[in-house]
Amino acid sequence: MDALELRYSRFRLNDEEFYDFCQQNSNLKLERDADGTILIMPNTGGETGDRNSELNFQLRLWNKQHKLGKVFDSSTAFKLPSTAVRSPDASFVSQERWDDLTPDQRKRFPPICPDFVIELIRAAGRSESDTLTGAKEKMQEDWMVNGCRLGWLIDPLTR
Amino acid sequence: MTYIYRADGSIQINRDFDQPLSGEDVLPDLEFDLTELTSPFNDGFHPRLTRFSDYSLTRKTCLHTRIFIPSIVRVVGINSEYTALNIRLALA
């Protein structure tokens, strides 16, 4: 994953401060590691954006028919049990678990791990092996370890 | 290629993009169509296409790329070079 990492060991933003930091820098796509490292994520290129849109379209269409929960796009960040704040390319949270959150929690970065996530390997960036290795680590250590029930890591360029 | 991670710790690798992915018990009845993500012509020629001498092409992909394929024939393959594109057809 190509991301610019920001570290400053003398202080660590708490959840509210990090949320405010993101709102005040709304032109940046930000995530946070469990150790407090803030990551500035790159914007996607046209091809990846098109594929992300397709992910959300199919997931949302399914949910409109079944009405089993909420579907989120890649701009939604979740605060995970590990304290990391992450944004999958597409995700789903069951209605029951969503209803357990307070209105304020739903408005900010929901403190919940999605039931289902999709991560898409991006066309541009580092070498293919580095990109795939990083994506596998993210899928395992961020999503599955934190309680995700089903995750898809899709590499549309490789068969 | 798709890596399917499950809550039981298993990881399944799926190389077939022509078969839809199941939402299993988490998203019941979801049949996710991967072909829309992998169409080599989704945004023009895909660089990876140049590595394959023979690339499978579905009727859906042809429609997506506005290549008209009459219903009496079916696509059986495609040969691609850097500048040339040859689609092989057969009677349906």
Side-chain angles (χ1 to χ4, degrees), chain A residues 50-52 54-55 57-59 116-121 151-159, chain B residues 1-4 12-23 30-42 55-56 58 60-61 64:
Chain A
D50 178 52
R51 291 188 174 103
N52 275 342
E54 179 65 26
L55 298 179
F57 169 72
Q58 291 197 42
L59 204 52
F116 170 71
V117 300
I118 305 177
E119 292 282 5
L120 194 63
I121 301 283
W152 293 346
L153 174 60
I154 301 176
D155 183 356
L157 309 185
T158 306
R159 288 195 184 217
Chain B
M1 193 175 296
T2 305
Y3 301 83
I4 302 168
Q12 178 186 336
I13 299 175
N14 179 20
R15 290 182 168 80
D16 186 359
F17 286 174
D18 297 326
Q19 295 297 318
L21 280 182
S22 167
L30 174 66
E31 296 290 325
F32 193 92
D33 180 8
L34 287 167
T35 60
E36 291 292 336
L37 300 178
T38 57
S39 166
F41 304 104
N42 218 7
Y55 200 98
S56 65
T58 64
K60 189 171 184 179
T61 305
H64 187 76

Side-chain angles (χ1 to χ4, degrees), chain A residues 125-138:
Chain A
R126 296 178 183 171
S127 70
E128 284 182 29
S129 59
D130 283 350
T131 302
L132 182 59
T133 300
K136 284 181 175 176
E137 286 175 1
K138 185 177 184 182

Side-chain angles (χ1 to χ4, degrees), chain B residues 24-69:
Chain B
E24 305 184 10
D25 59 338
V26 181
L27 305 104
D29 300 328
L30 174 66
E31 296 290 325
F32 193 92
D33 180 8
L34 287 167
T35 60
E36 291 292 336
L37 300 178
T38 57
S39 166
F41 304 104
N42 218 7
D43 293 282
F45 276 96
H46 193 285
R48 181 65 61 117
L49 190 62
T50 60
R51 297 189 193 178
F52 294 95
S53 60
D54 198 351
Y55 200 98
S56 65
L57 185 69
T58 64
R59 180 179 301 281
K60 189 171 184 179
T61 305
C62 291
L63 290 172
H64 187 76
T65 53
R66 298 176 187 173
I67 300 172
F68 176 69
I69 305 295

Side-chain angles (χ1 to χ4, degrees), chain A residues 74-124:
Chain A
S74 61
S75 61
T76 306
F78 295 91
K79 185 198 166 195
L80 302 176
S82 66
T83 74
V85 176
R86 290 278 187 260
S87 301
D89 289 319
S91 56
F92 168 82
V93 175
S94 67
Q95 192 66 49
E96 183 181 15
R97 295 181 68 225
W98 182 252
D99 290 343
D100 285 342
L101 299 176
T102 67
D104 192 55
Q105 287 175 324
R106 293 178 205 160
K107 183 180 172 185
R108 292 168 176 260
F109 300 145
I112 192 172
C113 182
D115 295 276
F116 170 71
V117 300
I118 305 177
E119 292 282 5
L120 194 63
I121 301 283
R122 295 189 167 138

